RNA sequence: GGUCGCGUGGCCGAGUGGCUAGGCACAGGUCUGCAAAACCUCCUACAGCGGUUCGACUCCGCUCGCGACCUCCA
C-alpha cells in the first residue's frame, strides 16, 4: 500500500511499515494528564502524531486514532495546596476532581483546536474505564504476575523478567535497576523495588477513589493505556506513540502488563518524539521552565518577547524532525514566523495563478526540477515523516511561484501538467498533511469594501502625485496592522497582521 | 553511578562515504514616486585528536562539552 518506513523505538531501526490488517491502522498515542494546563512541550507529540495520522490517511489507510485522557490518579491542581483535597471542607469549597479534570480537558481541547490538530477517533478517559482496568489487573493476578499488599496491587517485574525481555524497549537491565532505583514511599510493600503499581489503595483523604476487589483505591498510571488500547485497537495493534520520556517506565510497563494479560506483545511499532528544550534543558514540570499554551499565544510570560500564533508554533515544530530535540528561543520562533508567512503567501498566490495552458514547458529544466521537488515530498514523508525536508522543498518552489506572479519567471515556463502538480503538491502537503492554515481570520465583506475604498483613494492621490496623502493612507493603515502592497501589474493587495 | 543520545556556518535546523538541504539574519543588486513585498546574487559549516578509505562532516576509537532516562513527566 505504501513505502512508508518509520523508526521503531523497540528495534531502534527504521522499518518498512506493514499494517497488521491490510488497509487499516490502529494508532494509540498517550494523551495528557489533565491535572494542569498544557504547555509547549505537550504540543510536540500531539502535532507529531497529528502528522502521522494525517499522512497515514493520505496514503489511503483507514486509521483508528485513539488518544487517552488521563483523568485518574493522585491529582493536585496547579498552585493549590494539597489541603484543598481534604474532605473536611464544605462541599462547595472543596475542589471536585471532576471539576478540575473538566477544566483542563477543555483547555487542552482548545489548544489542540488552535494547533489545527485533528480530533482522534476515540478519546477514552481513564475514569471511564475503571472496570476494564480492574478486569485486566485481576487477569494478571490470576496468571501469577501480580500480588496484593494492603489494598494495593503490584506487578512482579522480577518474575516477568525471568521469561520475557523486560527492559528491551528502554534499554534497561533489570539488575542495574534493582541496584539504582531510589527509595520511594510505599517501597516496603513491594517485593522488589522495580515492581510497579497496578492499583493503589487510596488513603482516607484521597479524593479520587473507586471500589475494587482490593478495597477503595485508584488505578496505577500504566494500566489505563494497556486496558484502553486493547479494548479499542485489539490485543496487538500497529503504532503506539508518545514522548521519549515515557519510554521508561510507562511504555516498558505497558508492554509487561499486556504481554502477561494477552500472551504476546501489544505493539508492532513504537514511535517516540523527542523533547522541546529551553536553554538546553527539557521543558517540564520538574524543571519549572514551562511555557503554557495560553502564555505562548498571548506572549504573557517573562521569557517571551511577543505572542506566537499557534500556526507559527506548529510550523516551528515541523521544521525539525520529530526525533531531534528542539530548542525554544524567541529568535527561532520569530524566524519561523517570517518563514511561514512567506511560504503561506506563496501558497495563496499559487492558488490564484492562472496557467496559459501550454502543454510543452517553456523552461524544460525548471519544469523537470519542479516535478522532482514535488515528487520528493512523498519520499520524504515515507522516510520516517521527514517534515523538515518537505518544508525545505516547498521553500525551493516558493521563488518559482512568486517569480511567475512577478514576471521574473515566464507564465508558460512550466507545462500545464507540472503547474497542476505544483498546485496540488502545495495543497496536499502544506495544508492536508502538514495541517497548516491561515493565521488571519477570514476577512469580512465589510472590511474588504472599506479597504477597497481606501486603496482607491490612495490610487487617485498617487495619480495626482499627491504622495503626502497616499503615504498617509498607507502609513496609517500599517499602524492599524494592514499592510498594502503595490503589485507589479498596478493592483494593490493587502495583508492583515 | 548505570543506560541511551547529541555536538553542523551569526542564529535555527535537514542530511549524506565523493554530487554546495532549507529557513531567519546580514550584505549587494533589480523593480518601485518612495517604501514594503517579490526576484537575483553573496555567506560552503559540520566539537577536538587519531584511525579505516582512492576519498569522511558522514564509518571506527579516544578526548572534551551538553542533554535525556533511571521519580510524576509529552
Amino acid at each position: 500500500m505504501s513505502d512508508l518506513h518509520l523508526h521503531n523505538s523497540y528495534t531502534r531501526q527504521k522499518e518498512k511499515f506493514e499494517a497488521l490488517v491490510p488497509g487499516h491502522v490502529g494508532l494509540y498515542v498517550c494523551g495528557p494528564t489533565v491535572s494542569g494546563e498544557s504547555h509547549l512541550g505537550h504540543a510536540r507529540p500531539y502535532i507529531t502524531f497529528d502528522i502521522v495520522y494525517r499522512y497515514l490517511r493520505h496514503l489511503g489507510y483507514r486509521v483508528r486514532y485513539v488518544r487517552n485522557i488521563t483523568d485518574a490518579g493522585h491529582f493536585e491542581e496547579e498552585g493549590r495546596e494539597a489541603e484543598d483535597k481534604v474532605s473536611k471542607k464544605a462541599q462547595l469549597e472543596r475542589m471536585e476532581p471532576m471539576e478540575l479534570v473538566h477544566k483542563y480537558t477543555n483547555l487542552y481541547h482548545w489548544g489542540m483546536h488552535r494547533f489545527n490538530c485533528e480530533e482522534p477517533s476515540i478519546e477514552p478517559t481513564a475514569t471511564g474505564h475503571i472496570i476494564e482496568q480492574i478486569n485486566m489487573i485481576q487477569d494478571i493476578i490470576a496468571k501469577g504476575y501480580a500480588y496484593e499488599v494492603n489494598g494495593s496491587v503490584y506487578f512482579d517485574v522480577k518474575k516477568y523478567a525471568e521469561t520475557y525481555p523486560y527492559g528491551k524497549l528502554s534499554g534497561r537491565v533489570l539488575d542495574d535497576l534493582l541496584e539504582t532505583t531510589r527509595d520511594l514511599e510505599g517501597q516496603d510493600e513491594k517485593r522488589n523495588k522495580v515492581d510497579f503499581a497496578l492499583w493503589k489503595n487510596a488513603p482516607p483523604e484521597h479524593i479520587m477513589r473507586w471500589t475494587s476487589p482490593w478495597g477503595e483505591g485508584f488505578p496505577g498510571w500504566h494500566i489505563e493505556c494497556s486496558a484502553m488500547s486493547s479494548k479499542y485497537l485489539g490485543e496487538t495493534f500497529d503504532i503506539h506513540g508518545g514522548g521519549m520520556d515515557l519510554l521508561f517506565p510507562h511504555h516498558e510497563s505497558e508492554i509487561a502488563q499486556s504481554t502477561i494479560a494477552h500472551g504476546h506483545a501489544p505493539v508492532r511499532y513504537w514511535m517516540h518524539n523527542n523533547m522541546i528544550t529551553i536553554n538546553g534543558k527539557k521543558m517540564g514540570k520538574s524543571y519549572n521552565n514551562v511555557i503554557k499554551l495560553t502564555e505562548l499565544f498571548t506572549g504573557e510570560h517573562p521569557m517571551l518577547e511577543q505572542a506566537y500564533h499557534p500556526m507559527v508554533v506548529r510550523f516551528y515544530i515541523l521544521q525539525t524532525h520529530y526525533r531531534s530535540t528542539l530548542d525554544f528561543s524567541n529568535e527561532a520562533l520569530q524566524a519561523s514566523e517570517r518563514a511561514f508567512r512567506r511560504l503561506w503567501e506563496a501558497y495563496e498566490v499559487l492558488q490564484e495563478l492562472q496557467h496559459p495552458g501550454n502543454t510543452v514547458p517553456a523552461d524544460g529544466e525548471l519544469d523537470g526540477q519542479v516535478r522532482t521537488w514535488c515528487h520528493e515530498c512523498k519520499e520524504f514523508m515515507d522516510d520516517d515523516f521527514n517534515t523538515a525536508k518537505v518544508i525545505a522543498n516547498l521553500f525551493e518552489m516558493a521563488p518559482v511561484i512568486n517569480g511567475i506572479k512577478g514576471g521574473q519567471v515566464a507564465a508558460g515556463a512550466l507545462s500545464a501538467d507540472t503547474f497542476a502538480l505544483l498546485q496540488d503538491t502545495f495543497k496536499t502537503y502544506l495544508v492536508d498533511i502538514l495541517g497548516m492554515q491561515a493565521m488571519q481570520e477570514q476577512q469580512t465583506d465589510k472590511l474588504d469594501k472599506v479597504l477597497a475604498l481606501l486603496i482607491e483613494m490612495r490610487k487617485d492621490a498617487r495619480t495626482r502625485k499627491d504622495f503626502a496623502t497616499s503615504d498617509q493612507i498607507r502609513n496609517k493603515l500599517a499602524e492599524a496592522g494592514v499592510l498594502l502592497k503595490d503589485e507589479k501589474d498596478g493592483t494593490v493587495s493587502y495583508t492583515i497582521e
Side-chain angles (χ1 to χ4, degrees):
Chain A
M1 193 158 192
S2 77
D3 294 316
L4 177 63
H5 288 67
L6 51 82
H7 180 88
N8 188 346
S9 309
Y10 193 73
T11 58
R12 291 152 204 244
Q13 284 181 330
K14 264 184 212 171
E15 294 175 4
K16 181 165 168 51
F17 177 73
E18 306 273 7
L20 181 63
V21 179
H24 294 254
V25 177
L27 170 65
Y28 188 92
V29 174
C30 288
T33 299
V34 285
S35 60
E37 240 188 280
S38 298
H39 62 255
L40 176 58
H42 294 121
R44 190 145 196 212
Y46 306 131
I47 290 173
T48 295
F49 291 102
D50 186 50
I51 299 298
V52 172
Y53 179 46
R54 285 167 180 268
Y55 191 61
L56 286 168
R57 285 186 309 163
H58 169 77
L59 291 176
Y61 290 106
R62 280 193 55 186
V63 184
R64 181 176 293 163
Y65 175 19
V66 180
R67 189 181 59 203
N68 64 297
I69 297 273
T70 299
D71 57 353
H74 189 80
F75 280 12
E76 272 174 44
E77 188 172 22
E78 291 173 348
R80 283 217 209 182
E81 294 299 320
E83 296 154 32
D84 263 23
K85 300 189 301 194
V86 179
S87 52
K88 279 178 287 189
K89 286 199 172 186
Q91 186 81 34
L92 285 176
E93 279 179 59
R94 204 168 53 199
M95 175 182 59
E96 272 299 325
M98 199 63 190
E99 188 179 4
L100 172 148
V101 151
H102 191 247
K103 170 181 166 184
Y104 289 119
T105 298
N106 284 157
L107 209 46
Y108 161 73
H109 283 151
W110 166 82
M112 292 307 102
H113 183 70
R114 297 225 53 199
F115 279 131
N116 198 27
C117 287
E118 299 266 5
E119 288 176 21
S121 325
I122 301 175
E123 193 169 54
T125 59
T127 55
H129 296 75
I130 299 293
I131 304 290
E132 286 83 348
Q133 296 178 71
I134 289 173
N135 288 157
M136 193 165 184
I137 293 166
Q138 284 182 306
D139 187 24
I140 294 170
I141 293 174
K143 284 168 174 159
Y145 283 87
Y147 53 92
E148 185 205 338
V149 183
N150 302 331
S152 291
V153 181
Y154 297 98
F155 187 89
D156 191 340
V157 171
K158 206 170 176 182
K159 180 172 181 184
Y160 175 81
E162 287 168 9
T163 316
Y164 303 96
Y166 181 79
K168 180 169 178 349
L169 177 69
S170 57
R172 267 340 98 123
V173 178
L174 185 64
D175 290 342
D176 294 344
L177 287 172
L178 288 169
E179 284 172 22
T180 58
T181 304
R182 304 174 202 178
D183 289 323
L184 296 165
E185 60 154 318
Q187 288 287 27
D188 48 328
E189 289 184 345
K190 297 181 186 179
R191 288 183 189 165
N192 290 291
K193 287 173 169 182
V194 289
D195 293 351
F196 56 87
L198 295 172
W199 187 265
K200 288 285 280 182
N201 173 251
E205 72 276 11
H206 199 90
I207 49 171
M208 281 202 167
R209 52 204 307 135
W210 290 267
T211 51
S212 78
W214 318 285
E216 289 209 337
F218 57 96
W221 175 39
H222 315 302
I223 194 73
E224 62 173 278
C225 288
S226 293
M228 298 191 293
S229 63
S230 60
K231 173 165 183 172
Y232 298 113
L233 299 174
E235 293 181 1
T236 303
F237 58 95
D238 296 293
I239 301 174
H240 187 129
M244 265 184 185
D245 50 354
L246 297 181
L247 270 165
F248 190 89
H250 186 54
H251 291 334
E252 198 70 63
S253 303
E254 268 190 68
I255 292 176
Q257 295 162 347
S258 295
T259 299
I260 292 307
H262 304 134
H264 49 78
V267 176
R268 290 155 57 81
Y269 303 92
W270 285 91
M271 289 182 67
H272 294 273
N273 64 275
N274 215 136
M275 302 292 104
I276 287 182
T277 58
I278 182 161
N279 295 324
K281 284 266 193 299
K282 171 185 167 185
M283 186 178 288
K285 262 185 262 179
S286 21
Y287 294 95
N288 234 287
N289 60 358
V290 300
I291 298 174
K292 294 172 184 169
L293 295 184
T294 45
E295 296 167 335
L296 191 64
F297 298 161
T298 58
E300 285 164 16
H301 186 282
M303 296 206 62
L304 297 175
E305 290 172 8
Q306 61 169 85
Y308 297 100
H309 188 102
M311 282 301 111
V312 169
V313 178
R314 185 177 175 108
F315 194 71
Y316 154 77
I317 286 173
L318 296 180
Q319 274 183 296
T320 306
H321 187 86
Y322 74 91
R323 284 192 292 112
S324 300
T325 53
L326 172 57
D327 197 54
F328 167 87
S329 71
N330 282 285
E331 226 183 340
L333 263 300
Q334 284 159 13
S336 286
E337 180 173 308
R338 285 166 184 262
F340 176 59
R341 275 185 199 284
R342 192 175 137 237
L343 192 62
W344 188 261
E345 267 196 50
Y347 165 68
E348 289 186 328
V349 164
L350 179 62
Q351 304 312 306
E352 298 299 317
L353 281 180
Q354 297 296 321
H355 186 82
N358 52 300
T359 53
V360 178
D363 186 339
E365 196 182 328
L366 182 65
D367 190 86
Q369 181 65 71
V370 167
R371 297 194 79 83
T372 301
W373 281 328
C374 288
H375 292 311
E376 280 175 342
C377 287
K378 181 173 187 323
E379 290 173 28
F380 296 156
M381 287 304 290
D382 279 344
D383 184 16
D384 200 24
F385 307 96
N386 198 326
T387 55
K389 287 187 101 174
V390 170
I391 289 173
N393 265 29
L394 295 177
F395 268 115
E396 294 278 15
M397 295 188 277
V400 178
I401 295 164
N402 289 326
I404 291 173
K405 189 191 181 197
Q408 296 94 341
V409 176
L414 307 178
S415 71
D417 281 354
T418 302
F419 185 79
L421 174 67
L422 175 61
Q423 282 186 318
D424 181 62
T425 298
F426 260 76
K427 168 74 168 62
T428 300
Y429 284 86
L430 188 61
V431 177
D432 296 343
I433 294 174
L434 298 183
M436 301 309 301
Q437 59 184 193
M439 284 199 277
Q440 65 192 57
E441 301 296 314
Q442 210 56 38
Q443 290 331 312
T444 64
D445 280 356
K446 282 177 187 168
L447 179 60
D448 201 59
K449 281 173 183 164
V450 170
L451 285 167
L453 172 67
L454 286 165
I455 288 168
E456 190 60 33
M457 289 171 70
R458 173 164 171 271
K459 198 176 167 187
D460 288 344
R462 289 180 73 202
T463 47
R464 291 193 314 270
K465 305 258 187 233
D466 177 8
F467 296 122
T469 303
S470 70
D471 286 352
Q472 186 190 16
I473 292 172
R474 186 176 66 196
N475 295 340
K476 288 287 181 191
L477 283 175
E479 280 173 29
V482 181
L483 300 177
L484 297 186
K485 284 199 293 185
D486 294 325
E487 303 291 354
K488 292 264 190 281
D489 58 8
T491 61
V492 179
S493 63
Y494 67 88
T495 54
I496 298 177
E497 285 188 327

